[in-house]
Amino acid sequence: AMFERLSTGSNFGALERAMQFASARQQVIANNIANWETPGFRPADVDVKAFQGTLAEAIEAEQARLSEGLTGEGNTDVDGGLRIGESQQWKIGPMGMELTPEPLSDSLMGHDGNDRSVERILQSLTENLQMFRFAATMMRRQFQSIDAAIRERL
């Protein structure tokens, strides 16, 4: 029972989804940086708070399912991960998280028609890195717990 809670509980699935989201968002941020000086370019991003809210709802649903004694793959998505709600900005495909970012429009346009804010892009980059590192650290701790439990049984 302990191994099942560690491996099928919402922890792994939620951490996996957080890492997938941060990884996919990193590509969006990298595109913003790569097109920094492209005339007419408008940076794009996804709504991080909305994703975090959706992930929290999925975690609560998974915890409720497990507290009722339901186990197995009842709450998995097409890629085998934790099922989360989709939006216009993200969906889960067979290969994991797919993002559809929307243009940001809260900056002033430059003389070249470019809508850029170095502070906003660097803040997004930093926040995204922190999200990924936190999820990766928590995932590593989960694996260390499983490793410790296995070693105790041998």
Side-chain angles (χ1 to χ4, degrees), residues 121-133:
I121 290 176
L122 291 178
Q123 180 180 355
S124 296
L125 184 65
T126 302
E127 289 172 354
N128 198 59
L129 177 61
Q130 289 175 340
M131 177 192 288
F132 188 87
R133 281 186 175 170

Side-chain angles (χ1 to χ4, degrees), residues 5-21 51 55 58-59 62 66 75-77 79-84 92 97 135 139 142-143:
R5 283 185 49 94
L6 285 171
S7 63
T8 64
S10 61
N11 291 336
F12 276 119
L15 293 171
E16 175 188 26
R17 289 296 182 225
M19 290 175 72
Q20 286 177 339
F21 179 82
F51 174 77
L55 185 58
I59 292 168
E62 177 70 359
L66 291 174
N75 199 28
T76 58
D77 219 320
D79 67 343
L82 177 68
R83 179 168 300 175
I84 63 170
I92 306 300
M97 183 81 56
M139 181 76 79
Q142 292 283 318
F143 282 120

Side-chain angles (χ1 to χ4, degrees), residues 42-43 104-110 114-118 120:
R42 292 183 59 203
L104 300 172
S105 61
D106 58 357
S107 293
L108 297 174
M109 293 285 199
N114 189 316
D115 174 19
R116 60 179 162 245
S117 166
V118 69
R120 181 181 60 211

